Amino acid sequence: MAVPIRVEHLNAAFGPFQALHDVTLTLPARQVTAIIGPSGCGKSTFVRCINRMHEETPGGRVWGQIYLGDEPVYGPDVDPVVIRRRVGMVFQRPTPFPTMSILENVVAGYTLLPGRPRDLESLAERSLRQAGLWDEVKDRLRDSPLNLSGGQQQRLCIARALAVEPEVILLDEPCSSLDPISTAKVEETIMELAQRYTVVLVTHNIQQATRVSQHTAFFLLGRLIEFGPTEQLFTNPANEQTEAYITGRFG
Amino acid sequence: MNQPLHHPTRVVNRGDRLFRGILRLFGLVVLAIALLILVELWEVARPSVERFGLRFLIETQWDPVREQFGALPFVYGTLVSSLIAILLAVPLGLGVAFFLSEMAPRWLREPVSFLVELLAAIPSVVYGLWGLFVLVPIIRSLELAILRTGLSRVPLFSGAPYGIGMLSAGVVLAIMIVPTVAAVSREVFRAVPDSQREAALALGATRWEAMKVVFDYGRPGIVGAVVLAWGRALGETMAVNMVIGNQPIISASLFSPAHTMASVIASEFNEAVEPMHVAALAEIGLALLGLTLLLSALARLLVLRVERRSRGRQAAQGVTSP
Ligand SMILES: Nc1ncnc2c1ncn2[C@@H]1O[C@H](COP(=O)(O)OP(=O)(O)OP(=O)(O)O)[C@@H](O)[C@H]1O
Ligand SMILES: [Mg+2]
C-alpha cells in the first residue's frame, strides 16, 4: 500500500562531484509531488536515489537515509532489488523492450524474474487499464510495442511499472518527448495513479506541475530550495530564487 | 525532427568527380577479382563437374589413383568439425563478451578486450603446432580414459585413441574462433542502450535477469557473430590440417581421423598431377565457396530482418502524434 517517502539528509555524488546536498523532505502518500528546477539541478539524481538506481551509475555514491513508511531504503541488509520492486520508475524516453510483444512488456516484471503468477493476462489487463492504455491496445496485445506512438509507449512503460504492484511510482520527465495530446493522456493517468500510489513527478513544465501535483519541491544546484503545497509555492513562494524560477527569470 | 530532406546538389566540382571515378574503379576491381576467381575455379573444375555431376557431393570414395572422387567425407568433416567448434566456442565467447561488457571492472575491460583481439591475430600454423603438441596428447589421454570406462561402446566415442582426429580439430577451431565470437558480441552488448538495462533493473531485475533483456535486444547481432565465426571455421585450413589426421573417413566417432574440404585441397594440390585430380580438388574449392556464400546469404537475410524491424522502431519514435 502507498507509503510516504521520508528523505533525511540525503547526499549523492558522481565520483568527486556532489550532485545532491543534504536534502530533507517528506513526500506524502497518495499524492503527486512535483520536482522542479533548472536543468542539471539534480532532479533525476534525487528520484534515482529513491529506488536505488543512482548506485548503478559508475561512480554513483549516496549517503543519508530514505524511509519508505518506516523501512529504510539504505542499509547493509537492504536488498536494492526489493526496493526497486516497491518503487516503480518510468524514464524520460519510453523504454519498451523491443523484442517482446505489448503483452509481454506489461508482464516483463514477472517473466524476467523466477516464480511467476499464473494469470498474466488478467494482470496485464488490469495494469493497462490503470495506465489508461487498455482500450487502445486491447486488440493488438501480441503486436510489437514499437508500432505504438510515443505516448502510448510511455503509458505502456507506466503499465509495466504498475504490474509489479509497487507502492511508489517515480516519473522522470515522462512527457518530455511527447506531443500535447499524448501528454494530456499521460497526465490524466498520473492523476489517477495518485489515488493508490505515492507519485513523484519530475517535470520541466511548470503548468504540468500545477495541473497534476499537490506538493512541489524546487531544487537548485543540488539543494532543496523550497518545498510546499503546489498552489502556495507557485502563487506565493517563500524564497526569492523560487520566485525567480517560476516567473521565468532564469533556468 | 522535421528538417527538410537534404537533396545532394549535383556534383560540379572536378576534384569531386575525379574522386568519385577513382572510388568507382576500386569498387569494380573488387568485383572483378571476385568474378575472376569464380571463373578460374570453374574452368579448372569443369572436367570434374562434367564427369561426376552432383554425384560428386554424395560419393564417399576418394581414391585419386583409381580416379574415384567423392567429396562427401570432406563435406562431412568440414561441417562436423565446424559444428563442434561452434558448439564449444559460442558459449565461451558469449561468456567472455558478457563479462567484458557487463561485469568486469572498468580498468580490466580494455586490456582484456585487447588480449582477446590479439588471440585472433595469432597465425593459424601456430594454433596448429600448439594443437599438435599440447592439445592432441590431452585428447589422447581423454580417449584412453573413456576407453577404460567402457563408454567406447557408444559410437560417438568408439575407435582407437589416436588423439589426432575430429575432436582435436573441433577444439582447435573452437579456440581459434572464440575471439571472433567474443569481440563481435561484445560490440553487440555494448550497442544495447543503457536505458534497456536500467528499465529492467528498475523493474526489480537482478543484473543477471537484466542480462536477458540485453541478450534479447542483441540477439540478431549475436546470430551475426555466430555466423561470422562459423564462416571462419569452415575455411580454416592449416591448423585443422595439422590435427585432424587427414583421412577421408565418415565415422560417427568423435575420435576418428577425418578430413575437411579446405584441408584436402591444401594437402593434395601440390602432388596432384592427373588433370582429373586437380579438377576434383577445384570442385571441392567451388563447393566450399558455395557453402560460405550460402552462410553469408543466411547472415544477410537475418540482418535484413533486423533492419526492417528497427525501421519500424524509428517510425514509431518519429511519429508521436496519434
Ligand atoms: N553520469 C554522471 N556523471 C557525472 N556527473 C553527472 C552524471 N549524471 C549527471 N551528472 C551531474 O549531476 C548533476 C545533476 O544531474 P541530474 O541528471 O540529476 O540533473 P537534472 O535536474 O535531472 O537535469 P535535467 O533537467 O537536465 O534532466 C548535473 O550537474 C550533472 O552534470
Ligand atoms: Mg533529469
Side-chain angles (χ1 to χ4, degrees):
Chain A
M1 271 302 89
V3 289
I5 306 167
R6 206 143 48 83
V7 179
E8 288 182 357
H9 304 291
L10 181 74
N11 296 269
F14 296 93
F17 171 74
Q18 189 167 351
L20 282 181
H21 300 266
D22 197 37
V23 174
T24 298
L25 78 168
T26 298
L27 310 170
R30 287 200 192 78
Q31 292 196 5
V32 180
T33 302
I35 312 288
I36 62 168
S39 193
C41 67
K43 305 181 293 296
S44 297
T45 310
F46 174 69
V47 292
R48 287 167 63 87
C49 286
I50 301 176
N51 68 342
R52 296 200 57 173
M53 285 298 285
H54 179 65
E55 66 209 47
E56 294 294 334
T57 320
R61 284 181 299 131
V62 180
W63 61 107
Q65 187 55 284
I66 298 177
Y67 296 93
L68 297 178
D70 296 321
E71 296 155 58
V73 168
Y74 289 90
D77 27 87
V78 183
D79 183 357
V81 167
V82 173
I83 297 296
R84 291 180 199 138
R85 300 238 105 186
R86 299 179 60 189
V87 183
M89 180 159 193
V90 176
F91 298 88
Q92 183 166 349
R93 311 213 74 195
T95 53
F97 298 130
T99 55
M100 302 182 187
S101 69
I102 292 175
L103 182 74
E104 288 165 341
N105 258 279
V106 178
V107 297
Y110 291 98
T111 48
L112 284 177
L113 276 52
R116 57 177 67 182
R118 236 166 279 135
D119 203 358
L120 289 178
E121 301 231 1
S122 65
L123 180 85
E125 175 174 347
R126 199 179 59 216
S127 311
L128 284 167
R129 279 187 195 283
Q130 279 183 55
L133 189 61
W134 174 250
D135 290 330
E136 288 157 67
V137 301
K138 63 171 184 272
D139 299 321
R140 44 176 173 152
L141 291 173
R142 310 275 163 193
D143 273 13
S144 162
L146 304 177
N147 298 331
L148 298 175
S149 76
Q152 289 171 326
Q153 289 186 16
Q154 195 60 299
R155 278 176 286 151
L156 177 64
C157 292
I158 294 178
R160 186 175 66 189
L162 296 178
V164 294
E165 301 185 329
E167 297 152 56
V168 176
I169 301 279
L170 311 173
L171 303 128
D172 190 354
E173 301 185 45
C175 301
S176 66
S177 60
L178 305 186
D179 69 299
I181 297 169
S182 305
T183 298
K185 291 211 162 158
V186 173
E187 283 182 8
E188 220 172 279
T189 304
I190 294 172
M191 288 187 273
E192 296 266 314
L193 295 183
Q195 294 170 6
R196 314 185 49 205
Y197 303 93
T198 308
V199 183
V200 184
L201 171 70
V202 174
T203 177
H204 270 290
N205 183 329
I206 290 174
Q207 280 75 40
Q208 183 170 66
T210 53
R211 277 195 299 268
V212 304
S213 74
Q214 287 77 49
H215 283 78
T216 297
F218 172 60
F219 281 72
L220 189 61
L221 293 174
R223 288 169 208 281
L224 175 65
I225 302 297
E226 188 166 348
F227 175 63
T230 298
E231 208 182 298
Q232 183 192 325
L233 192 128
F234 283 112
T235 53
N236 190 13
N239 188 295
E240 55 191 67
Q241 286 169 312
T242 314
E243 190 178 353
Y245 180 72
I246 61 178
T247 54
R249 266 182 279 140
F250 73 85
Chain B
M1 221 172 267
N2 286 324
Q3 277 174 358
L5 289 171
H6 288 290
H7 292 287
T9 41
R10 275 215 162 280
V11 185
V12 280
N13 185 298
R14 272 191 134 176
D16 264 7
R17 213 184 297 167
L18 186 70
F19 190 54
R20 273 191 169 200
I22 293 175
L23 287 186
R24 201 169 291 160
L25 194 73
F26 286 170
L28 287 178
V29 165
V30 172
L31 209 69
I33 291 177
L35 269 178
L36 268 179
I37 291 178
L38 204 66
V39 169
E40 274 301 306
L41 210 54
W42 177 258
E43 274 307 312
V44 180
R46 198 149 73 189
S48 159
V49 176
E50 275 166 4
R51 176 150 158 211
F52 304 112
L54 271 182
R55 222 158 25 98
F56 183 72
L57 291 177
I58 48 174
E59 261 337 298
T60 57
Q61 289 307 314
W62 180 268
D63 190 344
V65 180
R66 279 192 240 141
E67 294 226 332
Q68 280 188 321
F69 296 108
L72 193 62
F74 309 111
V75 178
Y76 175 83
T78 294
L79 287 178
V80 172
S81 63
S82 62
L83 214 65
I84 295 173
I86 286 291
L87 287 180
L88 295 175
V90 166
L92 192 61
L94 284 180
V96 171
F98 173 48
F99 174 74
L100 285 177
S101 87
E102 313 289 322
M103 276 163 64
R106 241 139 249 281
W107 58 267
L108 200 65
R109 288 182 191 188
E110 283 313 311
V112 175
S113 306
F114 177 72
L115 279 179
V116 168
E117 272 151 41
L118 206 68
L119 279 183
I122 296 178
S124 97
V125 193
V126 177
Y127 276 110
L129 275 182
W130 176 84
L132 210 51
F133 292 128
V134 181
L135 185 70
V136 166
I138 295 176
I139 300 266
R140 188 181 303 130
S141 37
L142 182 81
E143 288 169 4
L144 278 172
I146 285 179
L147 207 62
R148 276 191 219 104
T149 61
L151 229 93
S152 57
R153 267 190 301 260
V154 182
L156 205 58
F157 305 117
S158 61
Y162 297 119
I164 275 176
M166 190 71 100
L167 185 61
S168 295
V171 174
V172 168
L173 276 177
I175 293 168
M176 293 178 73
I177 62 177
V178 158
T180 310
V181 178
V184 178
S185 37
R186 184 185 66 122
E187 289 310 313
V188 170
F189 288 153
R190 284 219 301 216
V192 175
D194 273 340
S195 60
Q196 290 281 314
R197 293 183 182 84
E198 293 209 325
L201 288 177
L203 280 174
T206 61
R207 273 191 191 206
W208 175 244
E209 288 150 1
M211 197 51 210
K212 282 190 228 167
V213 168
V214 174
F215 210 85
D216 257 10
Y217 195 97
R219 195 161 41 192
I222 291 165
V223 171
V226 173
V227 172
L228 196 73
W230 198 350
R232 236 201 116 182
L234 286 180
E236 177 48 49
T237 311
M238 206 51 222
V240 173
N241 194 299
M242 291 164 82
V243 298
I244 201 168
N246 294 341
Q247 292 183 39
I249 299 172
I250 298 182
S251 159
S253 170
L254 285 177
F255 302 152
S256 164
H259 221 331
T260 69
M261 299 163 85
S263 154
V264 72
I265 296 174
S267 46
E268 294 190 6
F269 208 81
N270 273 337
E271 305 139 31
V273 279
E274 297 297 320
M276 194 50 80
H277 192 187
V278 174
L281 289 175
E283 193 178 352
I284 291 184
L286 266 182
L288 184 56
L289 195 67
L291 198 62
T292 322
L293 284 182
L294 205 74
L295 207 64
S296 313
L298 201 77
R300 276 240 65 83
L301 212 73
L302 286 168
V303 170
L304 264 180
R305 259 183 46 191
V306 177
E307 272 174 2
R308 207 172 305 137
R309 210 163 53 183
S310 63
R311 258 204 301 285
R313 181 182 317 167
Q314 275 154 14
Q317 280 176 355
V319 185
T320 42
S321 48

